Amino acid sequence: MDQNLLNALCLQQLTLSKVQEPETVAVLTRGSERTDLVDAFLWAAQQLGASAFHLRLPPSQSTSGAWEVGDSGLSRNPRAVEALKGVDMVIDLAFLLFSKEQFEIQGAGTRILTTLEIPEVLGRLMPTPELRERVEFGVETLQAAQSLRVTSPAGTDVTYRLGAYPTLGEYGYTDEPGRWDYWPAAFVFTGAADDGVDGTIVLSPGDILLPWNTYVQTPVTFTIEAGFITDIRGDLDADLLSAYIKSFNDPRAYGMSHVGWGLDERANWHSLAPTNAGAGMESRSFYGNVMWSIGPNNELGGPNDTPCHFDIPMRGCSLFLDDKPIVVDGTIPIREMQPFAWR
Ligand code: FE
């Protein structure tokens, strides 16, 4: 993308995130990645009167090839952590999510915005205050619920017992001390009690497997008991999922992680492609998807910090909170969560 356009996008983002004089913004990267975005964020921060610097960590030393969450590259770098705790906003281009260091930095009052997406997706899904309002309504609705049930025509019928963990919303920018968000994003989620998920989830062709950035081709049936996956059945997709999860050699890799729904009508279900998917946030955000996930729940304050993590946005599902329909066959019947232009 043209650097001037990228600069303008980052200026729009940091304006939404209320960066201003006399704040300091740090841009965090690993290795030689995303230098165009670094330049754009440093420029934009200065335009708004803030101070800015770039903190570059060595590249990952992992040789597993798997996407392992929680290893941020900061764990052996306490002085780098101190530097980030001392600024007002960290632009995280290194992916700190699920790491102890991220919580420590947020705890110091530093807000964090993560992005790993390509510039075209950053521009097309630029956050808006409208989207924030709709996501925040979703958060209020979800955090008031005691139970969450998902059904689908393919045979999904699973219930999450809520109340143990907080509810979070992501809307793509962050202007509050200590708050984390991701650009772009538009969804709400929470987690069940550690032993609080039971039922069956059936993936249908077209449902999405992240971090693989692939579409399910053949149905996969998961049996879930007391918060853990106890059986995975189907053809090729089931074999691939089973083999991958098993390779972590960690019983907690079968845990049930967050669950929620997507709210961005501009995000495309069909835009996923290995070459342009970034971290797949467009897939997590498309309007009316129901996303469930496998693996860690430490993001919500739980004890499971396994590095094995799947996010799985599904199409055409229904989601009920305390038996009230919130998503119906992939559409959202509640006015406050619909786009303003549709009302
Ligand atoms: Fe996730």
Side-chain angles (χ1 to χ4, degrees):
M1 178 182 280
D2 177 77
Q3 190 66 34
N4 295 305
L5 181 52
L6 191 56
N7 288 352
L9 293 178
C10 289
L11 182 58
Q12 212 175 330
Q13 162 61 244
L14 293 190
T15 303
L16 282 165
S17 291
K18 294 206 171 75
V19 168
Q20 57 196 297
E21 195 179 355
E23 289 192 320
T24 300
V25 175
V27 183
L28 178 71
T29 64
R30 256 181 128 165
S32 56
E33 294 171 349
R34 301 182 176 87
T35 49
D36 52 347
L37 259 183
V38 173
D39 288 345
F41 274 115
L42 293 175
W43 176 84
Q46 292 176 98
Q47 290 300 303
L48 294 168
S51 305
F53 65 87
H54 177 199
L55 199 160
R56 177 176 163 187
L57 297 171
S60 171
Q61 302 296 310
S62 170
T63 55
S64 77
W67 187 59
E68 297 176 28
V69 297
D71 169 27
S72 68
L74 283 175
S75 57
R76 292 162 303 282
N77 244 323
R79 293 195 178 178
V81 175
E82 287 308 313
L84 298 176
K85 284 162 71 176
V87 305
D88 300 284
M89 183 169 187
V90 170
I91 305 298
D92 166 28
L93 307 179
F95 203 73
L96 295 180
L97 191 60
F98 301 104
S99 68
K100 286 196 290 291
E101 294 77 28
Q102 168 157 345
F103 299 127
E104 201 181 326
I105 294 163
Q106 285 179 256
T110 301
R111 60 194 192 277
I112 303 178
L113 184 79
T114 301
T115 186
L116 304 178
E117 306 304 313
I118 60 169
E120 287 72 13
V121 172
L122 298 181
R124 188 157 50 78
L125 303 182
M126 179 62 72
T128 65
E130 174 198 320
L131 203 51
R132 174 183 186 166
E133 191 178 313
R134 290 159 50 204
V135 166
E136 287 181 336
F137 182 89
V139 168
E140 284 166 30
T141 307
L142 180 53
Q143 72 191 3
Q146 298 302 307
S147 83
L148 181 155
R149 179 175 173 227
V150 180
T151 63
S152 73
T156 298
D157 193 345
V158 64
T159 300
Y160 289 68
R161 198 174 73 244
L162 306 182
Y165 294 116
T167 296
L168 297 177
E170 296 178 26
Y171 47 81
Y173 64 98
T174 185
D175 63 8
E176 296 163 16
R179 185 178 173 276
W180 174 82
D181 211 315
Y182 192 107
W183 179 24
F187 54 85
V188 300
F189 62 99
T190 188
D194 295 343
D195 62 350
V197 190
D198 291 275
T200 303
I201 294 178
V202 185
L203 302 186
S204 294
D207 292 343
I208 294 172
L209 299 172
L210 304 167
W212 289 351
N213 293 350
T214 57
Y215 292 102
V216 170
Q217 306 290 324
T218 57
V220 183
T221 302
F222 294 85
T223 303
I224 297 127
E225 297 172 284
F228 283 83
I229 294 163
T230 55
D231 190 53
I232 304 174
R233 255 166 230 262
D235 295 323
L236 177 62
D237 287 295
D239 291 346
L240 285 167
L241 279 159
S242 298
Y244 180 84
I245 298 171
K246 194 173 170 213
S247 74
F248 283 81
N249 198 21
D250 180 356
R252 302 169 312 154
Y254 295 88
M256 293 295 282
S257 182
H258 54 86
V259 64
W261 63 91
L263 285 163
D264 193 344
E265 71 285 359
R266 304 167 305 174
N268 294 321
W269 161 73
H270 62 264
S271 285
L272 183 68
T275 49
N276 76 358
M281 292 305 276
E282 178 159 21
S283 304
R284 289 174 176 86
S285 300
F286 74 83
Y287 189 77
N289 88 73
V290 170
M291 181 168 75
W292 68 289
S293 74
I294 299 171
N297 66 359
N298 60 331
E299 181 189 12
L300 293 162
N304 189 342
D305 64 353
T306 179
C308 178
H309 187 40
F310 274 99
D311 281 344
I312 306 179
M314 302 191 294
R315 289 187 302 163
C317 292
S318 297
L319 183 150
F320 305 86
L321 295 177
D322 300 331
D323 299 324
K324 182 184 177 193
I326 304 296
V327 180
V328 177
D329 299 332
T331 66
I332 298 175
I334 296 172
R335 187 175 171 279
E336 289 88 343
M337 288 191 283
Q338 294 168 350
F340 290 3
W342 295 6
R343 296 180 189 174

